Amino acid sequence: MTTKRIAVIGGGIIGTAVARQLSRMVDGAQVTLFEKESGLAGHQTGHNSGVVHAGLYYEPGSLKARLCRRGVELLAEYAAENNIAFDECGKVVVAHNSLELDRLHSIFERAKANGVPDVSIIDRDRLRELEPACTGGIAALHSPHTAIIDYPGLTRSLGKDVEADGGQIRLGALVTGLDATGSEVRVSGTGFDAEAFDLVITCAGLQSDRLANAVTDRTGTPGKKDDGPHIVPFYGDYFLLRPERSSLVNGLIYPVPDPRYPFLGVHVTKRVDGAVMLGPNAFLSFARENYRNNAPNLRDLAETLTYPGFWKFAADNIPATLQQVRTAVSKKAFVEEARKFVPAIESADVVTGVRGIRAQALNSDGRLVDDFVIRSTGRLVQVRNAPSPGATASLAIAEHIVEEALAYAG
């Protein structure tokens, strides 16, 4: 391979995994990872539930399904070799009525098609054995190998691997421009001098569409020609069970998703540190990177409200929106969603937890972009959409991207 100078933009779990894979697979590569924050895993990677998804829901044959299953294998191996907290605590998806039971069987068939090991439909007695506090369900799908992991710790470990292999991690380096008009790609921004690279891979998460619009292509015209997808941010709040009540839950308890709506709904999940999380809900975020409240960032909000696809999406999801409004403004309503699965939980048992912000990709017609989207134009590769199970699939996504880059370079 002739490529030597390689830049990766974005220090979340996917970007850091890609940088590590490049440093190990490309002979003589000089890998530089640019991250605008003061540390790795500062955004989606550091604000999620830590679930290692088994591959239950995804369309068989899709990139999501294939890379999720491969990603699980790689995560488990890496965690064992590098002393990263990892626990196969298992997951149940609980049906409360006949309609949900029909959907549960459809998920079961998808899971089998995707090669999820040892998945089964269990009755209420077996459900009570696994999760004694989970009552009211008539049946459940059981995935015994669904796991939890410390994703921020994993990302930091991957970063150490990059540096051990001779790569550089530049923190506080905000990339604002990519010039792909010549035989190299010039990377410019704040906190560093502009540099030229033979290959650039962007893994920018919540900023992926903006970085795509910052590309100057071979016509010499700066961005704003990108045809999508467009990122619309949705925040998800979590509550935590008080430590003395965490024994109510042994693993992961999920609702049966409604295929009409884009989000899974409030679920109850154990973390590797023993804490138990309730959530998340899903509501429009007025800022892409505000994790403390929903105070607006005017640029972020304007870009959402002027995007035609957002209004088409909103019009098609009014019932789901109304449901999410309840959980966004009322702790009681939020806890009631969790009580559908664990009735013993009371409002007094929970305290405010973390907030995450999901980079939801939308097309201009209002359709959610469901699968991973990875676009390559020669020396510029852009990860445009990597929603859940993006963290689970991160090491496999890195494999996939680097294999394609090697094939292109001959």
Side-chain angles (χ1 to χ4, degrees):
M1 174 164 179
T2 58
T3 298
K4 298 296 183 182
R5 295 161 300 172
I6 306 175
V8 179
I9 301 169
I13 191 170
I14 294 176
T16 311
V18 168
R20 174 182 178 270
Q21 187 73 5
L22 287 163
S23 68
R24 300 203 162 188
M25 295 298 297
V26 182
D27 291 338
Q30 299 172 356
V31 178
T32 302
L33 174 62
F34 292 91
E35 168 53 47
K36 66 186 177 69
E37 305 297 349
S38 60
L40 301 177
H43 292 288
Q44 293 181 108
T45 303
H47 295 81
N48 63 46
S49 61
V51 175
V52 178
H53 295 281
L56 303 180
Y57 309 109
Y58 317 123
E59 183 68 30
S62 66
L63 202 56
K64 263 190 179 184
R66 292 188 287 112
L67 296 185
C68 178
R69 287 305 313 153
R70 174 62 175 157
V72 171
E73 297 173 5
L74 294 173
L75 281 187
E77 292 172 5
Y78 188 91
E81 293 170 358
N82 294 274
N83 198 31
I84 305 297
F86 184 93
D87 178 10
E88 275 193 357
C89 60
K91 170 178 175 175
V92 291
V93 182
V94 181
H96 286 92
N97 53 53
S98 59
L99 176 60
E100 290 187 347
L101 184 59
D102 288 341
R103 293 172 180 163
L104 197 69
H105 281 283
S106 296
I107 295 170
F108 175 64
E109 294 302 323
R110 279 196 173 191
K112 289 196 301 180
N114 288 336
V116 179
D118 301 324
V119 66
S120 62
I121 300 291
I122 60 175
D123 62 20
R124 68 179 71 198
D125 292 333
R126 176 58 177 153
L127 175 60
R128 288 294 295 273
E129 290 177 7
L130 295 169
E131 294 286 356
C134 181
T135 61
I138 61 173
L141 183 149
H142 181 215
S143 174
H145 301 295
T146 296
I148 49 179
I149 195 171
D150 175 10
Y151 281 123
L154 172 66
T155 305
R156 291 189 292 270
S157 180
L158 294 172
K160 291 178 182 177
D161 292 342
V162 173
E163 293 178 321
D165 291 336
Q168 295 184 42
I169 297 178
R170 296 188 186 175
L171 301 176
L174 172 63
V175 173
T176 58
L178 298 168
D179 186 340
T181 58
S183 59
E184 301 171 318
V185 180
R186 289 190 63 80
V187 177
S188 59
T190 59
F192 62 96
D193 295 329
E195 296 180 53
F197 293 90
D198 300 300
L199 173 66
V200 174
I201 300 172
T202 70
C203 308
L206 285 155
Q207 306 295 336
S208 62
D209 56 341
R210 287 177 176 167
L211 203 53
N213 280 322
V215 175
T216 301
D217 66 13
R218 293 184 183 277
T219 68
T221 306
K224 295 301 179 187
K225 305 174 305 304
D226 180 70
D227 60 356
H230 183 87
I231 296 300
V232 174
F234 283 83
Y235 76 77
D237 284 329
Y238 289 92
F239 283 90
L240 293 173
L241 279 185
R242 296 185 185 278
E244 63 271 20
R245 297 291 279 167
S246 61
S247 61
L248 284 171
V249 178
N250 294 325
L252 313 174
I253 305 173
Y254 275 63
V256 177
D258 187 331
R260 296 174 299 172
Y261 305 129
F263 304 113
L264 285 175
V266 171
H267 34 279
V268 184
T269 52
K270 179 183 174 183
R271 293 193 319 204
V272 289
D273 62 1
V276 173
M277 304 174 73
L278 315 180
N281 54 4
F283 198 73
L284 177 67
S285 180
F286 298 160
R288 295 194 184 199
E289 298 179 1
N290 184 351
Y291 299 99
R292 295 181 300 276
N293 53 53
N294 207 22
N297 175 291
L298 295 182
R299 178 191 178 192
D300 294 349
L301 185 57
E303 288 185 3
T304 294
L305 298 181
T306 57
Y307 184 61
F310 167 72
W311 293 106
K312 294 174 183 177
F313 168 82
D316 291 339
N317 289 275
I318 292 174
T321 300
L322 295 176
Q323 172 65 20
Q324 295 302 322
V325 167
R326 293 179 61 250
T327 61
V329 301
S330 169
K331 176 184 174 182
K332 180 180 178 181
F334 194 113
V335 173
E336 282 301 316
E337 290 298 307
R339 281 173 48 82
K340 292 177 181 178
F341 304 94
V342 185
I345 296 174
E346 301 289 347
S347 289
D349 296 330
V350 303
V351 295
T352 301
V354 300
R355 167 172 287 190
I357 299 179
R358 171 178 177 169
Q360 180 59 63
L362 288 181
N363 285 322
S364 57
D365 61 4
R367 289 184 299 110
L368 297 179
V369 182
D370 185 59
D371 206 358
F372 297 150
V373 177
I374 302 169
R375 292 181 178 167
S376 177
T377 55
R379 299 193 181 279
L380 178 61
V381 180
Q382 299 181 80
V383 179
R384 294 301 309 275
N385 189 47
S388 181
T392 298
S394 56
L395 296 180
I397 291 172
E399 273 190 345
H400 176 79
I401 287 174
V402 173
E403 286 173 3
E404 292 203 342
L406 289 169
Y408 170 81

